[in-house]
Structures are given as structure tokens and as C-alpha cells.
């Protein structure tokens, strides 16, 4: 049973590695160089994919939180914190890579664009999630409170995005976002390839992180026995 | 029926405790005034006299006052072991949540009422506008609903006072943006239909946060 | 005139892939640390009994 799981995981890892290498290959060698921004536009493919994986992580975490509150099983809690952690890593990567692209294309690291600002607030929100977990010793209570916060977080994120967008339509920003980019078919192919590769990367990291969480739980139980 | 009575009893209990002790309100109001003072130097708002900056400063002050008061409201219960008593009493958790929420909201409204005349004088603003009053009510409700819930959680953590602002502020960002924008419009003499999208945003956030709080509170309050 | 932003592209991908690599390393490191801890705990438990 366990052995089969390990083999499945190894297969997933291999597939993910191939997909990531393939996506990088498509991005670097098959997409045209964009006419106004130059080579830096290629950051776009992995940048959007990283943000997608980050969002996926937070949504998966909220689903796991719902599962925990319904069943009270620690497996949901482990999956939830794993999803939040990976979501945070991907979102942070998305922000930093976006900043570099913005600096090259627009001459500024940061604009108060709705997506950027929402991403920044999300990072702060889910960083607070881990501070909350850290502050509670009782594992059952920690899991319950974390689940509550993950659900409140996912409720507030779309509202935040919406409100900042309303804010920005009234106070227009100087630079336009990505929607002004026309994507050629080759660019679209690379874009969807990257999205798929990052989805697999997310799945494989998620599995590894859950395994780590299970091991940590086992060690914690052992510690209480000693 | 008993539910409404329980809710009001708990709210009245909190308010009368505050009336007797007078712990939270004076501290909150003075703290909020200090924040307005700090901002007026940091942003030099008296020089510019811009109502748009003034609305932001006011909500920043109310936000910090709110964080202070939610922390205090639940810390007082913890110190007196009042929460255990409440939870043992035959009262639903939802009623406890609503009662605490009402009391906090009332306190913040009173605080805002004390603060507003001073603030109006400092910034030379006309604050007697029905739209602004509605914004104040909706904004504070949207802030208090998640605030009460998260304070109940952060109070059971090791880093309690430190944790609440970190948990609360990112979550209530939409409420804050809506409240600041609507206040800005009303204080600048804008009409209702200008502020309508922001009031809608506030009302929707209020409903969502209230509903979430009522559904989730059973998971947060425990013996 | 096409701007030369090749270096920015390299920095961008360096950061994306580098951070991912660091995260994977941190997973591996935490895994090894926990495994070692588990073994030590098992040994102390054995000594006791």
C-alpha cells in the first residue's frame, strides 16, 4: 500500500519535472520575443502560472478547512496547512517576479494595481495564518482556529480584490496591466503549457508537504510518549 | 424570543461593566485622538485641509480604537473567567457572539460620537450628514463582526494582543476601503448616488461577515 | 527599436526557479530532520523498555 503510494508519488515527480522542463523549453525557444518589452515579457508565462498555483493553494486550503470543521480529522488540518504554505510560496514568487517585470517594462517595481495589492494583502493574511497556528499549543484547538481563519480569509480575498478594483476605476493608475498584451497562438500555447506544468508542480509539492506534515504529527505523538 | 433576550442581556452586561469600570472608552478615545494627531503631523493634513485625507485619518483612528476595544472586551472576560460562566449558562453561542458584537458596536459608536466633534473642529469639516452617519454605522458593523470573532480566537492564543491586528486588518480591507471612500464622498459634499457603490460594498461585506460569524462562532467559543 | 531586457528575463526566471528550488530543499531538509528525530525518539523509547 505505502509502497504503491511512493511509486505513484515518484511518477508524479518525474512527470512534473518533465512538464516544467518542457514549459521552460517552450517559453525560451518557441515563443516570439514581444515587440515593445523585449525578452522580459517571457517572465509573464511563469509569473501568471505561479500566481495561479498560489490562488489554487488558498482555495484548496479553504476546502480542507471545511472538511476539518465537518469531520474533525487531523488529516484535513495537515492538508490545509500544507496548501496554505505552498500557496504563500507561489504567491510570493508571483509578486517578486512581477515586480522585476514591472521594473523593466514600466520603470517601477510596484503599482497599486488591484491584482498586485490583493496579492500583497493575501501574503500578509496567510502569514498571519501561520502566526495564529504558532500561538496555540493545543493541537485540536489550533486546527479548529486555523480552519476558521482559512475560511474567513477566502471569503475576504475576492471582496478585497473587488473593492480595490472599484477604488482604481475611480483613481486611474498610469500604467495598464497585462490585458493590453496581445497573445499570438504560440504565446497562448506556452501560457497554457506553463499553467498545466505549475498545476502539476503544485500537486506534487502538495503531496510531499502532506507527507511531511504526517511525519511531523507522528513525531509529535512519539514525543508525548517519551 | 429567548434568543433575542439573551443577546440583549449579554450586550447590556458588557455595556454596564464598561459603564462601571470606564476602562475602554476613555482609553480608546484618547488613543484615537493621538492617532489623528500623529497623522496630522505625518501627513501635514492641516496645511492641505483636504477632506479626502481627513476621511482616511479618521478611519485609521477608528480602526486602531476598534482593535483595542475588541482585545479589551474579551481579555476582560478571560481575566474574570466570565467566558466560562457564559458558556456554562444555557445561552446559545450565537447569542453570545451577537451580544458581544452589539456591545462592541455600541461602544465604538459612542467613541466615534465623542471623537467626531473634535475631529470636525480640527479639520474644519461639516460632519452632520445622514450619509456619513450611515457610512459610520455600516463601516463599524463590518469591522466589528469579524473583529469580535477573531478576538475570541486570538484571545486563546499565546500572543493574544499582538495577534488580533495581524489577523483582523487584512481580512477587513474591503470594509476599510469602502468606508473611507464613502466618507470621503460625503464629507466633500457628494451626493448619495455617487457613494452608492461603496455603500453597497459595505452592506454586502456586512452581510457576509455577519453570516460567516454566526455560522462559525460555535467552532470558536468553547469551554 | 527592441529594448534589450534579456538580463531582466534571466533575473526573473532565476528568482522563480531559485525560490522553488529553495522551497524544495527546505522540504527535504525538514524531512531529514524529522526522520532523525523520529529515530532518536525510537531509540530512547527502546532503552526505557
Amino acid at each position: 500500500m505505502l509502497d504503491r503510494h511512493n511509486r505513484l508519488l515518484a511518477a508524479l515527480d518525474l512527470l512534473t519535472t518533465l512538464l516544467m522542463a518542457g514549459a521552460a523549453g517552450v517559453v525560451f525557444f518557441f515563443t516570439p520575443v514581444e515587440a515593445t518589452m523585449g525578452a522580459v515579457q517571457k517572465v509573464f508565462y511563469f509569473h501568471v502560472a505561479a500566481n495561479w498555483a498560489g490562488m489554487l493553494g488558498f482555495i484548496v486550503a479553504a476546502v480542507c478547512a471545511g472538511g476539518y470543521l465537518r469531520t474533525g480529522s487531523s488529516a484535513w488540518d495537515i492538508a490545509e496547512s500544507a496548501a496554505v504554505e505552498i500557496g504563500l510560496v507561489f504567491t510570493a514568487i508571483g509578486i517578486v517576479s512581477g515586480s522585476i517585470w514591472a521594473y523593466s517594462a514600466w520603470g517601477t517595481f510596484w503599482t497599486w494595481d488591484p491584482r498586485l495589492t490583493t496579492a500583497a494583502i493575501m501574503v500578509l493574511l496567510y502569514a498571519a495564518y501561520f502566526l495564529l497556528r504558532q500561538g496555540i499549543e493545543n493541537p485540536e484547538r489550533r486546527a479548529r482556529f486555523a480552519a476558521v481563519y482559512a475560511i474567513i480569509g477566502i471569503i475576504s480575498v475576492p471582496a478585497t480584490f473587488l473593492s480595490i478594483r472599484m477604488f482604481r476605476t475611480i483613481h486611474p493608475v498610469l500604467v495598464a496591466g497585462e490585458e493590453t498584451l496581445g497573445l499570438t497562438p504560440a504565446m497562448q500555447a506556452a501560457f497554457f503549457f506553463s499553467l498545466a506544468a505549475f498545476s502539476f508542480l503544485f500537486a506534487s509539492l502538495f503531496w510531499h508537504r502532506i507527507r511531511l506534515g504526517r511525519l511531523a504529527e507522528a513525531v509529535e505523538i512519539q514525543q508525548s510518549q517519551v | 424570543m429567548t434568543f433575542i433576550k439573551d443577546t440583549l442581556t449579554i450586550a447590556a452586561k458588557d455595556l454596564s461593566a464598561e459603564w462601571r469600570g470606564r476602562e475602554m472608552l476613555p482609553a480608546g478615545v484618547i488613543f484615537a485622538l493621538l492617532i489623528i494627531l500623529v497623522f496630522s503631523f505625518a501627513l501635514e493634513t492641516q496645511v492641505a485641509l483636504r477632506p479626502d485625507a481627513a476621511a482616511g485619518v479618521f478611519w485609521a483612528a477608528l480602526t486602531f480604537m476598534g482593535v483595542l476595544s475588541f482585545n479589551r472586551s474579551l481579555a476582560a472576560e478571560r481575566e474574570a473567567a466570565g467566558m466560562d460562566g457564559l458558556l456554562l449558562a444555557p445561552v446559545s453561542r450565537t447569542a453570545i457572539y451577537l451580544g458581544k458584537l452589539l456591545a462592541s458596536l455600541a461602544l465604538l459608536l459612542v467613541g466615534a460620537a465623542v471623537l467626531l466633534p473634535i475631529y470636525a473642529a480640527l479639520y474644519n469639516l461639516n460632519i452632520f450628514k445622514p450619509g456619513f452617519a450611515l457610512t459610520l454605522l455600516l463601516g463599524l458593523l463590518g469591522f466589528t463582526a469579524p473583529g469580535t470573532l477573531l478576538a475570541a480566537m486570538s484571545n486563546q492564543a499565546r500572543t493574544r494582543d499582538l495577534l488580533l491586528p495581524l489577523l483582523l486588518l487584512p481580512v477587513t480591507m474591503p470594509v476599510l476601503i469602502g468606508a473611507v471612500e464613502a466618507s470621503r464622498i460625503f464629507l466633500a459634499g457628494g451626493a448619495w448616488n455617487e457613494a452608492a457603490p461603496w455603500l453597497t460594498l459595505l452592506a454586502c461585506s456586512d452581510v457576509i461577515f455577519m453570516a460567516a460569524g454566526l455560522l462559525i462562532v460555535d467552532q470558536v467559543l468553547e469551554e | 527599436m527592441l529594448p534589450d531586457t534579456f538580463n531582466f528575463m534571466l533575473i526573473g526566471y532565476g528568482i522563480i526557479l531559485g525560490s522553488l528550488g529553495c522551497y524544495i530543499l527546505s522540504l527535504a531538509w525538514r524531512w531529514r530532520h524529522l526522520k532523525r528525530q523520529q529515530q532518536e525518539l525510537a531509540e530512547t523509547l527502546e532503552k526505557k523498555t
Side-chain angles (χ1 to χ4, degrees), chain B residues 28-50:
Chain B
V29 168
I30 291 171
F31 184 57
L33 280 175
L34 284 172
I35 287 174
I36 291 179
L37 206 71
V38 167
F39 269 108
S40 75
F41 285 116
L43 303 172
E44 284 199 272
T45 38
Q46 313 111 304
V47 183
L49 273 183
R50 290 168 308 174

Side-chain angles (χ1 to χ4, degrees), chain B residues 2-204:
Chain B
T2 51
F3 176 77
I4 297 172
K5 224 182 76 192
D6 289 347
T7 305
L8 292 177
T9 314
I10 289 166
K13 175 197 80 77
D14 269 24
L15 289 176
S16 74
E18 170 62 27
W19 178 250
R20 269 183 274 111
R22 285 187 203 84
E23 274 188 332
M24 195 349 253
L25 205 52
V29 168
I30 291 171
F31 184 57
L33 280 175
L34 284 172
I35 287 174
I36 291 179
L37 206 71
V38 167
F39 269 108
S40 75
F41 285 116
L43 303 172
E44 284 199 272
T45 38
Q46 313 111 304
V47 183
L49 273 183
R50 290 168 308 174
D52 43 332
V57 170
F58 183 62
W59 277 100
L62 277 188
T63 305
F64 290 120
M65 183 170 135
V67 170
L68 212 65
S69 88
F70 304 145
N71 257 334
R72 191 63 220 145
S73 154
L74 281 124
E77 292 286 4
R78 196 187 59 236
E79 280 157 20
M83 197 45 102
D84 297 337
L86 269 183
L87 290 170
L88 287 173
V91 186
S92 78
R93 310 276 158 91
T94 327
I96 299 178
Y97 169 69
L98 269 183
K100 287 249 157 225
L101 193 159
L102 276 181
S104 290
L105 183 63
L107 264 184
L108 283 181
L109 282 172
V110 172
V114 176
L115 212 57
L116 269 174
I118 306 171
Y119 168 78
L122 284 176
Y123 286 88
N124 197 16
L125 288 168
N126 175 17
I127 49 164
F128 296 102
K129 287 170 178 149
F132 184 56
L134 180 67
T135 308
L136 208 57
L137 184 66
L138 289 178
L140 284 179
L141 179 61
F143 190 61
T144 313
T148 308
L149 187 75
L150 294 177
M153 278 175 21
S154 67
N155 244 281
Q156 297 176 55
R158 211 159 5 102
T159 43
R160 36 185 87 96
D161 299 5
L162 201 62
L163 199 53
L164 182 62
L166 301 182
L167 294 178
L168 182 57
L169 294 183
V171 168
T172 50
M173 216 41 96
V175 176
L176 211 64
I177 293 171
V180 169
E181 287 302 298
S183 308
R184 196 199 300 265
I185 290 167
F186 284 124
L187 288 179
W192 282 92
N193 62 348
E194 249 182 282
W198 298 112
L199 292 177
T200 318
L201 174 74
L202 278 178
C204 291

Side-chain angles (χ1 to χ4, degrees), chain A residues 69 121 125 128 131-132 134-137 141 144-145 148-149 152 155-156 159-160 163-164 166-167 170-171, chain B residues 149-150 153 156-158 163 166-167 170-171 173-174 177 181 184 197-198 201 208-209 212 216 219-220 222:
Chain A
L69 291 183
I121 292 172
L125 199 155
L131 291 178
L132 174 68
Q134 231 175 48
I136 305 171
E137 268 125 43
R141 180 186 291 170
R144 201 148 34 81
F145 285 10
V148 167
Y149 195 60
I152 293 184
I155 291 173
S156 118
T160 304
S163 60
I164 301 173
M166 279 166 68
F167 187 74
I170 292 169
H171 315 251
Chain B
L149 187 75
L150 294 177
M153 278 175 21
Q156 297 176 55
R158 211 159 5 102
L163 199 53
L166 301 182
L167 294 178
V171 168
M173 216 41 96
I177 293 171
E181 287 302 298
R184 196 199 300 265
W198 298 112
L201 174 74
I208 292 170
F209 280 133
I216 290 179
Q219 305 282 346
V220 170
E222 55 183 332

